[in-house]
Amino acid sequence: MHKPTLLAAAITGCFILPSAAFAQSTAPKTGEVDTVTVRGSILPYKLEHIPGSTSVLDTEQLEAQRPFSIKEALRTVPGVHVVDEDSFGLGLNIGIRGLNPRRTSRTLLLEDGMPLFLAPYGDPSAHYSTPIDRVERIEVVKGSGQVLYGPQTIGGMINFVTKPIPKKGVAGSVSATWGNNDYQGLHANVGVGGEMGGVMLDVIEKKGDGVRKNHDFDVFEVSMKGQLNINRDHTLIGKIGHYKEDSHITETGLGSVEYAEDKFQAPTGRNDRFLHERNSLQLQHIFQINDAAKLSTQAYYVDADRASFRQISDPGQNAGRSRLDQCDPTSLRNNLANADQCGGRWRPRDYRYWGIEPRLDFKHNTFGIASDAVIGFRYHEEDIKRNQFRDTDPRIQNLSFTRSLIGQNGTVGHREQIDITVEAKSYYVQNTFYVGDFSITPGVRYEDLKIKTDVRRAEGQPQDNPESFLNNNQSKVLPGFGIAWNGIQNTTVFAGVHKGFAPPRPDRDIVAPGGANTANVNKTRPEESTNWELGLRSSYFKGISLQSTLFYTDFDQIVIEDNGRFFNGGKSEQTGLEVAGRIDFGQLYNSTHNIYLTGSWTNLFSAKFKRDVAEENIVSGNRLPYAPKHLLSVAVGYQNPHGFDARLGADRVSEQFADGENTRVENLTGQEGTIPSYTVFNATMNFRPQGSKTSYFLSAYNLTDREYLVSRVDGKFAGRARQVIAGIRYAF
């Protein structure tokens, strides 16, 4: 058993067993327990004192939109760019304020405050995100409040708050959904709760065809959440989860010729495969010391295995067509009948991480000023094992056979093994002073981390030279300061600045040009930024809400990826304006029939490099890749008092560059060239008869079935064609 597993088990025992005994022997009489309402929220439900840009998508908004996945929901948030590379968010690509969205590596993802990445420090890639079915509320933070969280604090932070345990008796729901592209989904939720706490079970399964042909997927998740209110001062919360994905979604895009022939083809999709299994444990103890102080201690453990098989890794190399890596080099894309007899490459990777974080929140009156303070510390460890196998033997398409090749040398067999370990300590403190109509919030975070990269095998050869092992130790002080003014009713004016940080990226693919003992690990410095904001949130007028933020990000040591290797590319900057608002005419005219308008717009004035990078042909002034100047999401909706509502929306993304060189002419691989602007329409209808526990809904994306390009990272990727989903939900 792994050391983190033992620790997690020990923590579980320390929390659960003594607590159960304590509850049994000292539980107060009925009616004497002050039940603690526990949520995974990182934001207060009143935002007037937050000195930074925030967005919250609550249950009402999510039900009105009926998004297929997290991706569709986040498109309505200003400043957020989502690349629609797959069907239902199995691999999220989210960029905030001009940062590269690839696998969401520069945006911190949390579930109830727990990190979600494969490895938050060593491999911040989002191959998993909380299913939208379990989400009650989505919180997006882009301002100086990020000093309380980490390690990714450059672009922003997204927290998925899961649905709470029932408070009174048994409650739950069963939902079933169907759609074109053979889509079907099932979600069952049941829980029971009372004054002493409760327990809740979620089961989710979704399957169907992906954006491209032969990209079918099947995902399954089961999770359980429990809460024990020992007495008015002590509360325990626990959550466990198991997730499994088996899909034929390949990361290899299309060459220019292939894309022109059929945008939705996947030359080897029937053989390519992606397997992902994730187990998680989250525990929290809340000690309400008194009315002015609360100590919460969170512990978490995640064990994830992911493996991807590809028969093609380089798109469009031969006259704009792909060829099979481990077959006859003359075998072209249009002659793949023998693909089952071909080899390929597996990339199995194992991730383990765990952490513990005590945090003290308390009120005080130091210097005679009313204040709220937060002091916390987190200890975090990661253990990452990356392997790559390559062989011409068609049996390599079976992962079990592939693992039998461990230790084989040469250009086939066990090609690569990289072990990465991380130890990180984070300290943070923040204080909010309340002076009249002003809230003044200084804070600081300190990150101290050690990343060890050990290349044990590269290019099929063992490696034990000094250059194949690297210690990358970093420590950073990350201050933040914000101020909010509430001198006008239901209005907040805010300004803030904070130091952003992203850990140094360990190399993912290592080249050993001379075979044994020639691998060289590249050391990168952490990415740093200075983030400025000036903004306004207001609901001064009845039925009208508005938020607007002017932002400037001065980026230092941006990291550039080149075929799995990372190196620093110097300085860049992003400047822009975010605007979002909503008008409810039902409130304006005191009508139970409500027509509403919503919209969000991001104008990224500037997103450019500030330094020449000769090796990448990057010139100072070039625009950052995947940083569209305009993002627009608008919708009109109608809410009927008899249980019917409908919504029609549109999402527009302006032109983007696919590389730092700002290439406009497309090459045969499809990896170079621009990504043209596009607009996609969507619609939703919900109906719940009065007095009924059953609701019905219909949701559609890309109503006009427009063909559009979304990515060139590994070749050309088309956006999703028209997708329609119908569903029924019974709540009890």
Side-chain angles (χ1 to χ4, degrees):
M1 182 178 287
H2 295 284
K3 179 174 118 179
T5 307
L6 289 171
L7 180 65
I11 293 172
T12 306
C14 290
F15 277 179
I16 302 299
L17 297 180
S19 301
F22 179 83
Q24 193 173 38
S25 62
T26 65
K29 297 178 181 179
T30 302
E32 293 184 2
V33 175
D34 290 337
T35 302
V36 178
T37 300
V38 179
R39 299 181 181 271
S41 177
I42 60 175
L43 289 176
Y45 273 58
K46 293 185 178 180
L47 306 179
E48 62 265 26
H49 299 302
I50 296 179
S53 174
T54 60
S55 296
V56 176
L57 301 176
D58 59 22
T59 301
E60 183 180 352
Q61 293 169 279
L62 294 175
E63 288 185 351
Q65 186 183 358
R66 293 287 179 187
F68 300 153
S69 71
I70 295 297
K71 295 188 307 180
E72 286 76 23
L74 289 173
R75 282 195 182 93
T76 63
V77 178
V80 176
H81 178 212
V82 181
V83 176
D84 196 11
E85 188 180 298
D86 67 80
S87 290
F88 292 92
L90 302 181
L92 282 183
N93 296 293
I94 299 172
I96 292 182
R97 293 179 173 175
L99 293 176
N100 196 320
R102 181 64 174 172
R103 294 295 178 259
T104 320
S105 62
R106 292 186 177 95
T107 302
L108 179 63
L109 295 183
L110 305 171
E111 179 183 308
D112 295 334
M114 182 186 79
L116 286 181
F117 288 126
L118 286 175
Y121 287 84
D123 194 351
S125 299
H127 283 283
Y128 169 85
S129 66
T130 308
I132 193 68
D133 314 72
R134 292 199 292 113
V135 172
E136 180 194 41
R137 168 182 166 107
I138 301 177
E139 303 171 331
V140 182
V141 179
K142 291 166 281 184
S144 60
Q146 292 183 72
V147 299
L148 298 180
Y149 308 94
Q152 307 287 337
T153 59
I154 289 178
M157 172 181 58
I158 301 173
N159 182 45
F160 306 116
V161 182
T162 60
K163 295 177 181 178
I165 296 170
K167 296 180 182 179
K168 297 181 180 180
V170 178
S173 65
V174 178
S175 301
T177 51
W178 303 267
N180 61 318
N181 297 319
D182 291 330
Y183 173 78
Q184 28 186 321
L186 178 66
H187 174 220
N189 166 275
V190 61
V192 59
E195 62 182 17
M196 292 302 298
V199 64
M200 184 173 68
L201 176 69
D202 272 278
V203 180
I204 299 168
E205 183 172 22
K206 296 182 179 181
K207 55 185 177 181
D209 293 336
V211 171
R212 297 160 66 187
K213 298 173 182 176
N214 299 314
H215 267 197
D216 55 288
F217 65 92
D218 190 341
V219 297
F220 172 81
E221 182 180 79
V222 57
S223 63
M224 180 175 286
K225 180 191 295 187
Q227 178 176 329
L228 175 62
N229 303 319
I230 300 171
N231 56 30
R232 67 180 61 196
D233 299 329
H234 294 273
T235 302
L236 293 172
I237 308 101
K239 184 171 60 177
I240 57 174
H242 171 74
Y243 170 86
K244 189 173 184 178
E245 173 189 345
D246 186 351
S247 70
H248 287 91
I249 296 176
T250 177
E251 293 182 336
T252 304
L254 299 175
S256 58
V257 174
E258 293 168 327
Y259 192 84
E261 292 174 339
D262 183 356
K263 296 175 174 61
F264 301 109
Q265 65 173 305
T268 56
R270 61 178 181 172
N271 290 332
D272 288 0
R273 198 174 183 191
F274 186 86
L275 303 174
H276 186 194
E277 189 166 342
R278 181 181 188 270
N279 298 296
S280 62
L281 169 67
Q282 184 178 11
L283 299 169
Q284 188 177 21
H285 172 251
I286 298 176
F287 175 26
Q288 192 70 46
I289 302 171
N290 53 43
D291 291 341
K294 178 181 71 175
L295 175 65
S296 57
T297 303
Q298 174 178 247
Y300 55 85
Y301 170 68
V302 174
D303 180 341
D305 300 325
R306 55 138 293 188
S308 59
F309 175 76
R310 299 187 199 175
Q311 283 193 321
I312 293 176
S313 60
D314 296 320
Q317 293 293 333
N318 192 330
R321 301 179 186 272
S322 302
R323 66 173 178 81
L324 298 181
D325 277 0
Q326 301 299 325
C327 288
D328 180 354
T330 63
S331 176
L332 300 180
R333 187 276 321 154
N334 59 355
N335 186 24
L336 296 177
N338 296 321
D340 291 342
Q341 282 72 51
C342 293
R345 65 177 71 183
W346 272 104
R347 290 187 172 99
R349 301 165 186 171
D350 302 329
Y351 301 86
R352 315 280 184 274
Y353 66 83
W354 67 274
I356 186 166
E357 180 176 6
R359 165 174 160 161
L360 178 65
D361 294 71
F362 61 97
K363 302 179 183 295
H364 64 97
N365 289 282
T366 305
F367 309 117
I369 301 174
S371 302
D372 287 333
V374 179
I375 299 175
F377 163 76
R378 186 185 66 201
Y379 181 83
H380 177 97
E381 283 191 11
E382 297 176 6
D383 184 5
I384 305 169
K385 298 187 183 301
R386 303 175 62 92
N387 285 277
Q388 182 185 146
F389 300 85
R390 184 182 298 182
D391 208 308
T392 57
D393 191 327
R395 290 179 297 173
I396 201 173
Q397 296 179 38
N398 182 283
L399 184 56
S400 297
F401 171 80
T402 300
R403 294 190 184 279
S404 72
L405 301 176
I406 290 177
Q408 292 190 19
N409 297 334
T411 57
V412 298
H414 193 189
R415 184 176 179 83
E416 183 177 274
Q417 179 180 350
I418 305 173
D419 294 348
I420 301 170
T421 60
V422 177
E423 181 185 45
K425 301 171 186 176
S426 306
Y427 310 81
Y428 54 87
V429 59
Q430 179 176 284
N431 193 89
T432 300
F433 299 96
Y434 301 103
V435 182
D437 293 326
F438 289 89
S439 304
I440 304 169
T441 306
V444 64
R445 184 179 187 87
Y446 178 72
E447 290 276 357
D448 181 16
L449 62 143
K450 300 176 181 178
I451 302 177
K452 295 181 180 180
T453 304
D454 183 5
V455 181
R456 301 181 62 184
R457 183 179 298 273
E459 302 290 351
Q461 298 295 323
Q463 307 289 327
D464 60 2
N465 59 312
E467 286 75 21
S468 67
F469 183 85
L470 174 68
N471 281 322
N472 196 349
N473 300 337
Q474 303 285 340
S475 59
K476 293 294 176 183
V477 177
L478 307 169
F481 179 83
I483 185 168
W485 177 70
N486 294 281
I488 302 175
Q489 185 179 8
N490 297 325
T491 300
T492 300
V493 179
F494 61 86
V497 59
H498 78 276
K499 192 76 172 177
F501 171 81
R505 297 291 299 270
D507 282 340
R508 299 189 304 180
D509 298 303
I510 305 295
V511 176
N517 298 329
T518 60
N520 185 10
V521 184
N522 185 39
K523 182 176 182 179
T524 62
R525 295 172 58 186
E527 297 174 285
E528 299 180 57
S529 66
T530 304
N531 301 47
W532 299 82
E533 283 190 330
L534 176 63
L536 167 76
R537 289 186 296 269
S538 180
S539 55
Y540 180 82
F541 297 102
K542 179 182 178 181
I544 300 176
S545 61
L546 172 70
Q547 59 174 309
S548 179
T549 306
L550 183 66
F551 63 87
Y552 172 71
T553 303
D554 186 5
F555 209 116
D556 190 21
Q557 295 303 331
I558 190 171
V559 170
I560 298 173
E561 180 183 353
D562 179 19
N563 294 321
R565 294 176 60 82
F566 298 95
F567 59 90
N568 290 107
K571 295 180 176 294
S572 68
E573 69 173 22
Q574 295 96 261
T575 307
L577 175 67
E578 298 169 350
V579 179
R582 176 176 174 125
I583 302 175
D584 288 279
F585 291 97
Q587 293 185 35
L588 284 174
Y589 295 102
N590 296 316
S591 172
T592 56
H593 294 265
N594 181 38
I595 296 176
Y596 64 86
L597 299 174
T598 66
S600 68
W601 172 55
T602 304
N603 185 350
L604 192 60
F605 310 141
S606 173
K608 63 183 180 181
F609 292 97
K610 296 173 64 177
R611 171 190 162 188
D612 293 347
V613 184
E615 58 268 35
E616 286 294 297
N617 297 317
I618 293 174
V619 178
S620 177
N622 281 8
R623 193 168 182 90
L624 299 177
Y626 296 93
K629 185 174 182 179
H630 297 284
L631 293 169
L632 178 66
S633 178
V634 295
V636 57
Y638 167 68
Q639 294 170 321
N640 184 292
H642 304 295
F644 174 79
D645 65 79
R647 177 185 181 276
L648 177 65
D651 301 316
R652 179 169 178 78
V653 180
S654 66
E655 183 186 54
Q656 307 162 64
F657 289 107
D659 56 23
E661 192 177 350
N662 288 185
T663 307
R664 287 192 171 273
V665 179
E666 181 176 278
N667 64 353
L668 289 176
T669 70
Q671 293 173 295
E672 295 181 359
T674 61
I675 299 175
S677 61
Y678 59 88
T679 302
V680 177
F681 293 91
N682 50 77
T684 304
M685 290 188 293
N686 295 283
F687 177 56
R688 181 178 179 180
Q690 286 185 327
S692 174
K693 296 182 178 181
T694 304
S695 56
Y696 310 87
F697 52 90
L698 182 68
S699 186
Y701 180 81
N702 193 3
L703 279 171
T704 60
D705 203 21
R706 173 172 180 168
E707 294 183 351
Y708 59 102
L709 180 67
V710 295
S711 175
R712 293 180 180 269
V713 171
D714 290 303
K716 300 182 74 173
F717 281 82
R720 183 171 54 200
R722 183 190 294 118
Q723 178 70 55
V724 180
I725 291 180
I728 182 172
R729 180 177 184 266
Y730 175 75
F732 56 89

